[in-house]
Amino acid sequence: MYTHLEDYIYELYTSIGIKNPADLDKQIIAKKLGVDIIYEEDKLFRFDNEISLIRNTERQEWMDFGHEIGHYLRHCGCQLNMHPLFIDLQEWQANNFAYHFCVPTFMLDKLYNYKIYDIMQLFNVDYDFAYRRLEMYTNKMRTGGFFDEGYLTRA
């Protein structure tokens, strides 16, 4: 059973023809979503339909794009006047979004007998990102989700 975020990303990707790890290209995805990628010297941000990235390795740019597209698709408004705790929440949400966007669950489900280095190569992410994403995925598979752990009991 997928979470709301996993369902959202599955629907998003399938609606624009993204089905396999080889299809995960930030330029193609941005174009299909109507987003322009611009490059800045020292900051990442989103404004209207522009996402700013810092020139870096393809891996780092892909992971940064996942974070910023999370803001673009899921948040509105400007963080400049927000309470710091709300900014922290949005940053946590964008980070979580990036893990699922860059390494989608529906694509992980198709793999068998994979290792961290396989995830790094298939999804073009770095070691720490692949490690954390696999940790998230295996923990979910192992526990079966929040409701299966007895947190909700029937009277």
Side-chain angles (χ1 to χ4, degrees):
M1 181 175 192
Y2 284 174
T3 65
H4 174 72
L5 179 58
E6 290 165 328
D7 282 336
Y8 177 87
I9 289 171
Y10 173 78
E11 292 296 327
L12 174 71
Y13 274 149
T14 56
S15 74
I16 60 172
I18 305 293
K19 298 176 183 168
N20 301 299
D23 300 333
L24 297 172
D25 180 289
K26 71 181 178 302
Q27 297 295 340
I28 292 170
I29 293 168
K31 184 176 182 179
K32 289 183 177 187
L33 295 177
V35 173
D36 295 322
I37 297 174
I38 61 171
Y39 290 90
E40 294 288 330
E41 298 262 336
D42 61 352
K43 57 188 168 202
L44 300 168
F45 67 88
R46 170 194 69 84
F47 181 74
D48 286 336
N49 70 328
E50 290 183 343
I51 290 179
S52 169
L53 299 177
I54 299 169
R55 286 224 183 263
N56 210 318
T57 64
E58 276 297 312
R59 283 186 173 172
Q60 188 61 52
E61 285 183 20
W62 171 240
M63 294 180 299
D64 290 342
F65 178 72
H67 177 95
E68 293 305 319
I69 202 77
H71 284 301
Y72 174 80
L73 294 170
R74 309 285 280 191
H75 298 145
C76 63
C78 177
Q79 285 187 341
L80 295 176
N81 296 321
M82 287 182 190
H83 190 281
L85 291 175
F86 196 66
I87 294 171
D88 290 347
L89 171 65
Q90 285 193 344
E91 290 304 312
W92 181 90
Q93 289 171 334
N95 287 335
N96 188 52
F97 184 92
Y99 284 115
H100 288 84
F101 183 84
C102 294
V103 184
T105 301
F106 76 95
M107 293 182 191
L108 283 175
D109 286 343
K110 296 177 185 176
L111 301 179
Y112 176 75
N113 198 22
Y114 49 84
K115 307 231 181 309
I116 293 172
Y117 290 103
D118 300 323
I119 301 306
M120 290 173 62
Q121 294 304 312
L122 274 173
F123 296 97
N124 199 25
V125 295
D126 67 20
Y127 181 89
D128 292 335
F129 194 100
Y131 181 89
R132 176 66 183 126
R133 182 62 180 104
L134 279 179
E135 184 179 58
M136 294 163 75
Y137 181 76
T138 56
N139 284 344
K140 182 182 172 206
M141 294 298 112
R142 190 176 307 126
T143 63
F146 180 81
F147 296 110
D148 292 341
E149 288 297 302
Y151 292 106
L152 287 181
T153 58
R154 293 189 177 143

